[in-house]
Amino acid sequence: MRKMPLLPDCKETTRLVLEGEDRQLRLLERAGVRLHWRMCAGCARFGRQVELMREAMGSWRRHTEPRENESGE
């Protein structure tokens, strides 16, 4: 397990945001990311962009999945 400083730098914050898409971050990781976002507008913007992409992919999946009553039978 990687030891994380209390306040991650931009590179570490980016890594954590992307890892957060695949797993739930630990409490200290989440706190570090949020603290960094309060001080770094660029990383906060990146976090919002990742959230927007996640929401867009969810919408796309819902839009492209076949509906149960449209089975073609």
Side-chain angles (χ1 to χ4, degrees):
M1 183 182 309
R2 176 185 287 196
K3 185 173 180 175
M4 191 183 105
L6 182 59
L7 182 60
D9 61 9
C10 293
K11 185 175 182 177
E12 181 71 6
T13 298
T14 300
R15 183 187 69 76
L16 287 168
V17 168
L18 294 175
E19 270 191 30
E21 291 298 302
D22 297 327
R23 67 172 178 89
Q24 183 172 352
L25 298 179
R26 296 186 318 259
L27 178 62
L28 284 177
E29 291 172 326
R30 291 191 312 267
V33 167
R34 288 186 180 134
L35 184 58
H36 184 90
W37 281 351
R38 290 178 129 333
M39 300 182 338
C40 181
C43 287
R45 185 178 313 112
F46 176 73
R48 289 190 303 271
Q49 289 170 343
V50 169
E51 182 179 346
L52 179 67
M53 288 188 296
R54 181 182 336 107
E55 291 171 0
M57 289 301 295
S59 294
W60 180 78
R61 277 190 210 102
R62 285 188 299 278
H63 179 72
T64 58
E65 287 177 352
R67 295 190 177 101
E68 290 180 22
N69 60 359
E70 296 178 6
S71 61
E73 294 178 17

